[in-house]
mmCIF file of all heavy atoms in Angstrom:
data_model
loop_
_atom_site.group_PDB
_atom_site.id
_atom_site.type_symbol
_atom_site.label_atom_id
_atom_site.label_comp_id
_atom_site.label_asym_id
_atom_site.label_seq_id
_atom_site.Cartn_x
_atom_site.Cartn_y
_atom_site.Cartn_z
ATOM 1 N N VAL A 1 -20.757 -18.854 -3.366
ATOM 2 C CA VAL A 1 -21.695 -18.627 -4.484
ATOM 3 C C VAL A 1 -21.229 -19.535 -5.611
ATOM 4 O O VAL A 1 -20.050 -19.666 -5.928
ATOM 5 C CB VAL A 1 -21.529 -17.117 -5.020
ATOM 6 C CG1 VAL A 1 -22.438 -16.969 -6.166
ATOM 7 C CG2 VAL A 1 -22.008 -16.174 -3.854
ATOM 8 N N TYR A 2 -22.218 -20.136 -6.175
ATOM 9 C CA TYR A 2 -21.927 -21.090 -7.330
ATOM 10 C C TYR A 2 -21.898 -20.326 -8.616
ATOM 11 O O TYR A 2 -22.826 -19.659 -8.949
ATOM 12 C CB TYR A 2 -23.011 -22.247 -7.332
ATOM 13 C CG TYR A 2 -22.828 -23.098 -8.598
ATOM 14 C CD1 TYR A 2 -21.790 -24.016 -8.601
ATOM 15 C CD2 TYR A 2 -23.711 -23.007 -9.634
ATOM 16 C CE1 TYR A 2 -21.638 -24.856 -9.764
ATOM 17 C CE2 TYR A 2 -23.609 -23.761 -10.805
ATOM 18 C CZ TYR A 2 -22.559 -24.724 -10.812
ATOM 19 O OH TYR A 2 -22.340 -25.404 -11.949
ATOM 20 N N VAL A 3 -20.759 -20.551 -9.354
ATOM 21 C CA VAL A 3 -20.683 -19.945 -10.591
ATOM 22 C C VAL A 3 -20.006 -20.999 -11.577
ATOM 23 O O VAL A 3 -18.907 -21.429 -11.270
ATOM 24 C CB VAL A 3 -19.681 -18.659 -10.580
ATOM 25 C CG1 VAL A 3 -19.639 -18.033 -11.998
ATOM 26 C CG2 VAL A 3 -20.098 -17.701 -9.623
ATOM 27 N N PRO A 4 -20.617 -21.439 -12.652
ATOM 28 C CA PRO A 4 -20.072 -22.414 -13.537
ATOM 29 C C PRO A 4 -18.698 -21.935 -14.022
ATOM 30 O O PRO A 4 -18.574 -20.760 -14.409
ATOM 31 C CB PRO A 4 -21.100 -22.506 -14.654
ATOM 32 C CG PRO A 4 -22.346 -22.022 -14.112
ATOM 33 C CD PRO A 4 -21.928 -20.979 -13.101
ATOM 34 N N HIS A 5 -17.728 -22.827 -13.961
ATOM 35 C CA HIS A 5 -16.411 -22.417 -14.331
ATOM 36 C C HIS A 5 -15.549 -23.661 -14.570
ATOM 37 O O HIS A 5 -15.889 -24.765 -14.264
ATOM 38 C CB HIS A 5 -15.653 -21.569 -13.201
ATOM 39 C CG HIS A 5 -15.439 -22.343 -11.973
ATOM 40 N ND1 HIS A 5 -16.518 -22.702 -11.183
ATOM 41 C CD2 HIS A 5 -14.250 -22.891 -11.466
ATOM 42 C CE1 HIS A 5 -15.982 -23.404 -10.100
ATOM 43 N NE2 HIS A 5 -14.617 -23.495 -10.337
ATOM 44 N N ASN A 6 -14.359 -23.388 -15.144
ATOM 45 C CA ASN A 6 -13.317 -24.485 -15.335
ATOM 46 C C ASN A 6 -12.251 -24.217 -14.301
ATOM 47 O O ASN A 6 -11.573 -23.126 -14.320
ATOM 48 C CB ASN A 6 -12.781 -24.481 -16.777
ATOM 49 C CG ASN A 6 -11.960 -25.688 -17.074
ATOM 50 O OD1 ASN A 6 -11.209 -26.229 -16.190
ATOM 51 N ND2 ASN A 6 -11.904 -26.132 -18.303
ATOM 52 N N GLU A 7 -11.827 -25.178 -13.535
ATOM 53 C CA GLU A 7 -10.825 -24.941 -12.505
ATOM 54 C C GLU A 7 -9.424 -24.374 -13.000
ATOM 55 O O GLU A 7 -8.713 -23.815 -12.292
ATOM 56 C CB GLU A 7 -10.550 -26.291 -11.698
ATOM 57 C CG GLU A 7 -11.785 -26.733 -10.827
ATOM 58 C CD GLU A 7 -11.905 -25.769 -9.583
ATOM 59 O OE1 GLU A 7 -10.895 -25.243 -9.163
ATOM 60 O OE2 GLU A 7 -13.052 -25.744 -9.063
ATOM 61 N N VAL A 8 -9.142 -24.824 -14.212
ATOM 62 C CA VAL A 8 -7.864 -24.442 -14.764
ATOM 63 C C VAL A 8 -7.619 -22.981 -14.873
ATOM 64 O O VAL A 8 -6.404 -22.528 -14.992
ATOM 65 C CB VAL A 8 -7.612 -25.154 -16.146
ATOM 66 C CG1 VAL A 8 -7.656 -26.682 -16.020
ATOM 67 C CG2 VAL A 8 -8.513 -24.629 -17.202
ATOM 68 N N VAL A 9 -8.699 -22.186 -15.027
ATOM 69 C CA VAL A 9 -8.463 -20.721 -15.163
ATOM 70 C C VAL A 9 -8.202 -20.039 -13.837
ATOM 71 O O VAL A 9 -7.751 -18.844 -13.900
ATOM 72 C CB VAL A 9 -9.772 -20.080 -15.766
ATOM 73 C CG1 VAL A 9 -10.193 -20.746 -17.106
ATOM 74 C CG2 VAL A 9 -11.011 -20.139 -14.824
ATOM 75 N N LEU A 10 -8.353 -20.656 -12.714
ATOM 76 C CA LEU A 10 -8.144 -19.999 -11.455
ATOM 77 C C LEU A 10 -6.710 -19.908 -11.105
ATOM 78 O O LEU A 10 -5.868 -20.797 -11.248
ATOM 79 C CB LEU A 10 -8.855 -20.806 -10.285
ATOM 80 C CG LEU A 10 -10.401 -21.016 -10.549
ATOM 81 C CD1 LEU A 10 -10.927 -21.817 -9.434
ATOM 82 C CD2 LEU A 10 -11.140 -19.680 -10.686
ATOM 83 N N PRO A 11 -6.279 -18.738 -10.538
ATOM 84 C CA PRO A 11 -4.864 -18.592 -10.159
ATOM 85 C C PRO A 11 -4.540 -19.457 -8.893
ATOM 86 O O PRO A 11 -5.461 -19.849 -8.167
ATOM 87 C CB PRO A 11 -4.836 -17.090 -9.725
ATOM 88 C CG PRO A 11 -6.139 -16.669 -9.458
ATOM 89 C CD PRO A 11 -7.090 -17.524 -10.340
ATOM 90 N N GLU A 12 -3.233 -19.753 -8.647
ATOM 91 C CA GLU A 12 -2.827 -20.563 -7.485
ATOM 92 C C GLU A 12 -3.174 -19.803 -6.161
ATOM 93 O O GLU A 12 -3.019 -18.554 -6.155
ATOM 94 C CB GLU A 12 -1.365 -20.941 -7.637
ATOM 95 C CG GLU A 12 -1.095 -21.766 -8.845
ATOM 96 C CD GLU A 12 0.403 -22.099 -8.914
ATOM 97 O OE1 GLU A 12 1.177 -21.560 -8.015
ATOM 98 O OE2 GLU A 12 0.852 -22.861 -9.800
ATOM 99 N N GLU A 13 -3.414 -20.611 -5.161
ATOM 100 C CA GLU A 13 -3.640 -19.964 -3.828
ATOM 101 C C GLU A 13 -2.526 -19.165 -3.359
ATOM 102 O O GLU A 13 -2.681 -18.017 -2.745
ATOM 103 C CB GLU A 13 -3.915 -21.191 -2.851
ATOM 104 C CG GLU A 13 -4.479 -20.666 -1.512
ATOM 105 C CD GLU A 13 -5.885 -20.117 -1.517
ATOM 106 O OE1 GLU A 13 -6.691 -20.628 -2.359
ATOM 107 O OE2 GLU A 13 -6.221 -19.297 -0.728
ATOM 108 N N SER A 14 -1.240 -19.608 -3.602
ATOM 109 C CA SER A 14 -0.125 -18.882 -3.113
ATOM 110 C C SER A 14 0.027 -17.515 -3.705
ATOM 111 O O SER A 14 0.441 -16.509 -3.055
ATOM 112 C CB SER A 14 1.186 -19.748 -3.366
ATOM 113 O OG SER A 14 1.357 -19.952 -4.690
ATOM 114 N N ARG A 15 -0.333 -17.422 -4.942
ATOM 115 C CA ARG A 15 -0.255 -16.119 -5.683
ATOM 116 C C ARG A 15 -1.396 -15.186 -5.224
ATOM 117 O O ARG A 15 -1.229 -13.999 -5.093
ATOM 118 C CB ARG A 15 -0.458 -16.352 -7.230
ATOM 119 C CG ARG A 15 -0.222 -15.119 -7.960
ATOM 120 C CD ARG A 15 -0.017 -15.330 -9.466
ATOM 121 N NE ARG A 15 0.339 -14.145 -10.165
ATOM 122 C CZ ARG A 15 1.620 -13.664 -10.272
ATOM 123 N NH1 ARG A 15 2.600 -14.383 -9.731
ATOM 124 N NH2 ARG A 15 1.897 -12.601 -10.906
ATOM 125 N N ILE A 16 -2.551 -15.725 -4.890
ATOM 126 C CA ILE A 16 -3.670 -14.973 -4.366
ATOM 127 C C ILE A 16 -3.241 -14.376 -2.990
ATOM 128 O O ILE A 16 -3.629 -13.155 -2.766
ATOM 129 C CB ILE A 16 -4.954 -15.802 -4.219
ATOM 130 C CG1 ILE A 16 -5.546 -16.129 -5.618
ATOM 131 C CG2 ILE A 16 -5.966 -15.153 -3.387
ATOM 132 C CD1 ILE A 16 -6.612 -17.122 -5.637
ATOM 133 N N ARG A 17 -2.669 -15.165 -2.186
ATOM 134 C CA ARG A 17 -2.239 -14.659 -0.883
ATOM 135 C C ARG A 17 -0.997 -13.827 -0.898
ATOM 136 O O ARG A 17 -0.690 -13.166 0.152
ATOM 137 C CB ARG A 17 -1.926 -15.820 0.048
ATOM 138 C CG ARG A 17 -3.166 -16.766 0.265
ATOM 139 C CD ARG A 17 -2.858 -17.954 1.233
ATOM 140 N NE ARG A 17 -2.617 -17.385 2.589
ATOM 141 C CZ ARG A 17 -1.397 -17.436 3.183
ATOM 142 N NH1 ARG A 17 -0.307 -17.821 2.471
ATOM 143 N NH2 ARG A 17 -1.255 -16.979 4.442
ATOM 144 N N GLY A 18 -0.371 -13.563 -2.024
ATOM 145 C CA GLY A 18 0.806 -12.692 -2.094
ATOM 146 C C GLY A 18 2.092 -13.344 -1.625
ATOM 147 O O GLY A 18 3.038 -12.598 -1.360
ATOM 148 N N GLU A 19 2.115 -14.661 -1.626
ATOM 149 C CA GLU A 19 3.351 -15.332 -1.014
ATOM 150 C C GLU A 19 4.511 -15.120 -1.981
ATOM 151 O O GLU A 19 5.636 -14.996 -1.523
ATOM 152 C CB GLU A 19 3.021 -16.824 -0.885
ATOM 153 C CG GLU A 19 2.101 -17.132 0.164
ATOM 154 C CD GLU A 19 1.773 -18.611 0.236
ATOM 155 O OE1 GLU A 19 2.492 -19.471 -0.343
ATOM 156 O OE2 GLU A 19 0.778 -19.013 0.935
ATOM 157 N N HIS A 20 4.275 -15.021 -3.283
ATOM 158 C CA HIS A 20 5.372 -14.694 -4.274
ATOM 159 C C HIS A 20 5.989 -13.309 -3.970
ATOM 160 O O HIS A 20 7.171 -13.096 -4.167
ATOM 161 C CB HIS A 20 4.851 -14.798 -5.658
ATOM 162 C CG HIS A 20 3.787 -13.899 -6.028
ATOM 163 N ND1 HIS A 20 2.617 -13.804 -5.425
ATOM 164 C CD2 HIS A 20 3.783 -12.833 -6.939
ATOM 165 C CE1 HIS A 20 1.835 -12.887 -5.981
ATOM 166 N NE2 HIS A 20 2.527 -12.262 -6.861
ATOM 167 N N ILE A 21 5.183 -12.365 -3.589
ATOM 168 C CA ILE A 21 5.665 -10.993 -3.271
ATOM 169 C C ILE A 21 6.581 -11.059 -1.979
ATOM 170 O O ILE A 21 7.635 -10.447 -1.908
ATOM 171 C CB ILE A 21 4.478 -9.949 -3.092
ATOM 172 C CG1 ILE A 21 3.747 -9.883 -4.381
ATOM 173 C CG2 ILE A 21 5.079 -8.665 -2.668
ATOM 174 C CD1 ILE A 21 2.521 -8.964 -4.313
ATOM 175 N N ALA A 22 6.028 -11.722 -0.937
ATOM 176 C CA ALA A 22 6.756 -11.854 0.321
ATOM 177 C C ALA A 22 8.196 -12.586 0.128
ATOM 178 O O ALA A 22 9.165 -12.088 0.573
ATOM 179 C CB ALA A 22 5.927 -12.668 1.333
ATOM 180 N N GLU A 23 8.152 -13.592 -0.704
ATOM 181 C CA GLU A 23 9.437 -14.287 -0.961
ATOM 182 C C GLU A 23 10.341 -13.487 -1.750
ATOM 183 O O GLU A 23 11.614 -13.440 -1.470
ATOM 184 C CB GLU A 23 9.169 -15.590 -1.739
ATOM 185 C CG GLU A 23 8.395 -16.689 -0.914
ATOM 186 C CD GLU A 23 9.247 -17.090 0.320
ATOM 187 O OE1 GLU A 23 10.487 -17.277 0.194
ATOM 188 O OE2 GLU A 23 8.563 -17.318 1.424
ATOM 189 N N TYR A 24 9.794 -12.751 -2.728
ATOM 190 C CA TYR A 24 10.646 -11.812 -3.512
ATOM 191 C C TYR A 24 11.306 -10.735 -2.600
ATOM 192 O O TYR A 24 12.502 -10.376 -2.654
ATOM 193 C CB TYR A 24 9.798 -11.167 -4.638
ATOM 194 C CG TYR A 24 10.554 -10.261 -5.537
ATOM 195 C CD1 TYR A 24 11.796 -10.560 -5.998
ATOM 196 C CD2 TYR A 24 9.962 -9.020 -5.805
ATOM 197 C CE1 TYR A 24 12.481 -9.662 -6.880
ATOM 198 C CE2 TYR A 24 10.594 -8.102 -6.732
ATOM 199 C CZ TYR A 24 11.856 -8.475 -7.249
ATOM 200 O OH TYR A 24 12.495 -7.530 -8.028
ATOM 201 N N ALA A 25 10.435 -10.186 -1.667
ATOM 202 C CA ALA A 25 10.982 -9.124 -0.797
ATOM 203 C C ALA A 25 12.029 -9.677 0.164
ATOM 204 O O ALA A 25 13.012 -8.873 0.442
ATOM 205 C CB ALA A 25 9.867 -8.585 0.043
ATOM 206 N N LYS A 26 11.897 -10.906 0.578
ATOM 207 C CA LYS A 26 12.933 -11.481 1.481
ATOM 208 C C LYS A 26 14.278 -11.646 0.849
ATOM 209 O O LYS A 26 15.314 -11.725 1.561
ATOM 210 C CB LYS A 26 12.389 -12.862 1.968
ATOM 211 C CG LYS A 26 11.234 -12.758 2.935
ATOM 212 C CD LYS A 26 10.753 -14.163 3.367
ATOM 213 C CE LYS A 26 9.480 -14.084 4.194
ATOM 214 N NZ LYS A 26 8.968 -15.400 4.657
ATOM 215 N N SER A 27 14.315 -11.722 -0.459
ATOM 216 C CA SER A 27 15.575 -11.920 -1.200
ATOM 217 C C SER A 27 16.327 -10.582 -1.403
ATOM 218 O O SER A 27 17.475 -10.557 -1.897
ATOM 219 C CB SER A 27 15.278 -12.533 -2.496
ATOM 220 O OG SER A 27 14.586 -11.655 -3.382
ATOM 221 N N MET A 28 15.681 -9.471 -1.036
ATOM 222 C CA MET A 28 16.273 -8.155 -1.210
ATOM 223 C C MET A 28 16.928 -7.591 0.028
ATOM 224 O O MET A 28 16.643 -8.007 1.168
ATOM 225 C CB MET A 28 15.183 -7.150 -1.634
ATOM 226 C CG MET A 28 14.511 -7.494 -2.946
ATOM 227 S SD MET A 28 13.182 -6.252 -3.333
ATOM 228 C CE MET A 28 12.793 -6.704 -4.997
ATOM 229 N N ASP A 29 17.970 -6.650 -0.141
ATOM 230 C CA ASP A 29 18.435 -5.977 1.031
ATOM 231 C C ASP A 29 17.519 -4.859 1.280
ATOM 232 O O ASP A 29 16.623 -4.479 0.452
ATOM 233 C CB ASP A 29 19.864 -5.476 0.683
ATOM 234 C CG ASP A 29 19.923 -4.499 -0.525
ATOM 235 O OD1 ASP A 29 19.048 -3.770 -0.724
ATOM 236 O OD2 ASP A 29 20.985 -4.641 -1.252
ATOM 237 N N ASP A 30 17.616 -4.093 2.394
ATOM 238 C CA ASP A 30 16.709 -3.063 2.865
ATOM 239 C C ASP A 30 16.617 -1.934 1.921
ATOM 240 O O ASP A 30 15.505 -1.494 1.616
ATOM 241 C CB ASP A 30 17.147 -2.639 4.241
ATOM 242 C CG ASP A 30 16.828 -3.637 5.333
ATOM 243 O OD1 ASP A 30 16.067 -4.567 5.078
ATOM 244 O OD2 ASP A 30 17.466 -3.420 6.493
ATOM 245 N N GLU A 31 17.707 -1.548 1.325
ATOM 246 C CA GLU A 31 17.635 -0.414 0.361
ATOM 247 C C GLU A 31 16.859 -0.755 -0.864
ATOM 248 O O GLU A 31 16.011 0.069 -1.309
ATOM 249 C CB GLU A 31 19.090 -0.008 0.001
ATOM 250 C CG GLU A 31 19.165 1.211 -0.894
ATOM 251 C CD GLU A 31 20.510 1.588 -1.200
ATOM 252 O OE1 GLU A 31 21.497 1.038 -0.632
ATOM 253 O OE2 GLU A 31 20.747 2.608 -2.093
ATOM 254 N N GLU A 32 17.139 -1.887 -1.392
ATOM 255 C CA GLU A 32 16.460 -2.327 -2.649
ATOM 256 C C GLU A 32 14.917 -2.463 -2.318
ATOM 257 O O GLU A 32 14.033 -2.077 -3.144
ATOM 258 C CB GLU A 32 17.018 -3.601 -3.167
ATOM 259 C CG GLU A 32 16.470 -4.084 -4.498
ATOM 260 C CD GLU A 32 17.078 -5.363 -4.966
ATOM 261 O OE1 GLU A 32 17.851 -5.982 -4.246
ATOM 262 O OE2 GLU A 32 16.822 -5.707 -6.149
ATOM 263 N N LYS A 33 14.618 -3.143 -1.190
ATOM 264 C CA LYS A 33 13.154 -3.370 -0.783
ATOM 265 C C LYS A 33 12.482 -2.072 -0.568
ATOM 266 O O LYS A 33 11.346 -1.976 -1.061
ATOM 267 C CB LYS A 33 13.222 -4.285 0.479
ATOM 268 C CG LYS A 33 11.783 -4.632 0.853
ATOM 269 C CD LYS A 33 11.802 -5.611 2.021
ATOM 270 C CE LYS A 33 12.451 -4.958 3.294
ATOM 271 N NZ LYS A 33 12.309 -5.908 4.452
ATOM 272 N N ASN A 34 13.068 -1.144 0.064
ATOM 273 C CA ASN A 34 12.428 0.170 0.304
ATOM 274 C C ASN A 34 12.157 0.951 -0.978
ATOM 275 O O ASN A 34 11.168 1.682 -1.062
ATOM 276 C CB ASN A 34 13.327 1.061 1.251
ATOM 277 C CG ASN A 34 13.331 0.505 2.620
ATOM 278 O OD1 ASN A 34 12.477 -0.290 3.103
ATOM 279 N ND2 ASN A 34 14.414 0.877 3.352
ATOM 280 N N ALA A 35 12.958 0.710 -1.946
ATOM 281 C CA ALA A 35 12.736 1.396 -3.281
ATOM 282 C C ALA A 35 11.707 0.693 -4.048
ATOM 283 O O ALA A 35 10.823 1.295 -4.632
ATOM 284 C CB ALA A 35 14.127 1.438 -4.062
ATOM 285 N N LYS A 36 11.737 -0.674 -4.050
ATOM 286 C CA LYS A 36 10.835 -1.454 -4.807
ATOM 287 C C LYS A 36 9.344 -1.406 -4.296
ATOM 288 O O LYS A 36 8.376 -1.320 -4.985
ATOM 289 C CB LYS A 36 11.386 -2.860 -4.964
ATOM 290 C CG LYS A 36 10.466 -3.807 -5.823
ATOM 291 C CD LYS A 36 10.724 -3.508 -7.334
ATOM 292 C CE LYS A 36 10.020 -4.451 -8.221
ATOM 293 N NZ LYS A 36 10.179 -4.104 -9.627
ATOM 294 N N PHE A 37 9.274 -1.434 -2.927
ATOM 295 C CA PHE A 37 7.975 -1.530 -2.271
ATOM 296 C C PHE A 37 7.653 -0.261 -1.499
ATOM 297 O O PHE A 37 7.007 -0.356 -0.415
ATOM 298 C CB PHE A 37 7.906 -2.803 -1.398
ATOM 299 C CG PHE A 37 8.013 -3.999 -2.162
ATOM 300 C CD1 PHE A 37 9.230 -4.787 -2.128
ATOM 301 C CD2 PHE A 37 6.968 -4.594 -2.897
ATOM 302 C CE1 PHE A 37 9.420 -5.905 -2.830
ATOM 303 C CE2 PHE A 37 7.098 -5.810 -3.506
ATOM 304 C CZ PHE A 37 8.281 -6.466 -3.554
ATOM 305 N N ALA A 38 8.020 0.878 -1.963
ATOM 306 C CA ALA A 38 7.842 2.108 -1.268
ATOM 307 C C ALA A 38 6.384 2.420 -1.016
ATOM 308 O O ALA A 38 6.016 2.919 0.130
ATOM 309 C CB ALA A 38 8.424 3.261 -2.085
ATOM 310 N N ASN A 39 5.454 2.101 -1.934
ATOM 311 C CA ASN A 39 3.987 2.370 -1.700
ATOM 312 C C ASN A 39 3.502 1.509 -0.602
ATOM 313 O O ASN A 39 2.646 2.019 0.162
ATOM 314 C CB ASN A 39 3.287 2.080 -3.063
ATOM 315 C CG ASN A 39 3.603 3.078 -4.120
ATOM 316 O OD1 ASN A 39 3.964 4.245 -3.788
ATOM 317 N ND2 ASN A 39 3.400 2.825 -5.323
ATOM 318 N N TYR A 40 3.825 0.239 -0.560
ATOM 319 C CA TYR A 40 3.423 -0.657 0.547
ATOM 320 C C TYR A 40 3.885 -0.102 1.878
ATOM 321 O O TYR A 40 3.177 -0.029 2.864
ATOM 322 C CB TYR A 40 3.902 -2.081 0.285
ATOM 323 C CG TYR A 40 3.206 -2.922 -0.695
ATOM 324 C CD1 TYR A 40 3.699 -3.001 -1.959
ATOM 325 C CD2 TYR A 40 1.967 -3.516 -0.371
ATOM 326 C CE1 TYR A 40 2.979 -3.759 -2.939
ATOM 327 C CE2 TYR A 40 1.302 -4.249 -1.392
ATOM 328 C CZ TYR A 40 1.825 -4.422 -2.659
ATOM 329 O OH TYR A 40 1.124 -5.114 -3.578
ATOM 330 N N ILE A 41 5.206 0.146 1.932
ATOM 331 C CA ILE A 41 5.818 0.593 3.217
ATOM 332 C C ILE A 41 5.274 1.944 3.611
ATOM 333 O O ILE A 41 5.017 2.099 4.799
ATOM 334 C CB ILE A 41 7.334 0.684 3.005
ATOM 335 C CG1 ILE A 41 7.888 -0.729 2.744
ATOM 336 C CG2 ILE A 41 8.036 1.310 4.226
ATOM 337 C CD1 ILE A 41 9.382 -0.751 2.351
ATOM 338 N N ARG A 42 4.909 2.841 2.720
ATOM 339 C CA ARG A 42 4.332 4.099 3.057
ATOM 340 C C ARG A 42 2.986 3.934 3.651
ATOM 341 O O ARG A 42 2.561 4.778 4.513
ATOM 342 C CB ARG A 42 4.256 4.917 1.768
ATOM 343 C CG ARG A 42 3.881 6.413 2.035
ATOM 344 C CD ARG A 42 3.757 7.270 0.684
ATOM 345 N NE ARG A 42 4.993 7.186 -0.006
ATOM 346 C CZ ARG A 42 5.104 6.631 -1.292
ATOM 347 N NH1 ARG A 42 4.082 6.018 -1.800
ATOM 348 N NH2 ARG A 42 6.307 6.601 -1.819
ATOM 349 N N CYS A 43 2.297 2.883 3.262
ATOM 350 C CA CYS A 43 0.994 2.656 3.907
ATOM 351 C C CYS A 43 1.011 1.830 5.161
ATOM 352 O O CYS A 43 -0.039 1.523 5.690
ATOM 353 C CB CYS A 43 0.087 1.911 2.818
ATOM 354 S SG CYS A 43 -0.281 2.897 1.388
ATOM 355 N N GLY A 44 2.263 1.441 5.561
ATOM 356 C CA GLY A 44 2.357 0.746 6.794
ATOM 357 C C GLY A 44 2.340 -0.777 6.690
ATOM 358 O O GLY A 44 2.106 -1.478 7.630
ATOM 359 N N LEU A 45 2.568 -1.202 5.418
ATOM 360 C CA LEU A 45 2.545 -2.703 5.247
ATOM 361 C C LEU A 45 3.911 -3.129 4.643
ATOM 362 O O LEU A 45 4.361 -2.770 3.575
ATOM 363 C CB LEU A 45 1.455 -3.021 4.228
ATOM 364 C CG LEU A 45 1.292 -4.460 3.716
ATOM 365 C CD1 LEU A 45 0.954 -5.329 4.951
ATOM 366 C CD2 LEU A 45 0.246 -4.635 2.685
ATOM 367 N N SER A 46 4.548 -4.045 5.427
ATOM 368 C CA SER A 46 5.763 -4.625 4.968
ATOM 369 C C SER A 46 5.463 -5.733 3.960
ATOM 370 O O SER A 46 4.548 -6.486 4.161
ATOM 371 C CB SER A 46 6.543 -5.243 6.129
ATOM 372 O OG SER A 46 7.602 -6.054 5.720
#
């Protein structure tokens, strides 16, 4: 769909895909990750 806009306002593709969350989770140990992302894990999503 065409919507007039300025490209500078759009977020980066990596952030849209959640890559920053995945990288952050990889830096944690299991206990910390389970506490920080409990809602995701409870829904079946690592």
Side-chain angles (χ1 to χ4, degrees):
V1 177
Y2 174 72
V3 185
H5 67 285
N6 189 328
E7 291 285 337
V8 301
V9 302
L10 303 178
E12 296 179 358
E13 189 73 28
S14 60
R15 188 169 187 81
I16 287 173
R17 297 181 69 251
E19 292 177 14
H20 61 297
I21 298 176
E23 291 300 320
Y24 180 45
K26 289 176 183 177
S27 69
M28 298 177 171
D29 59 38
D30 288 344
E31 183 178 353
E32 187 180 10
K33 181 173 66 177
N34 290 338
K36 186 71 175 179
F37 296 102
N39 290 334
Y40 282 100
I41 295 170
R42 190 181 302 116
C43 293
L45 177 61
S46 170

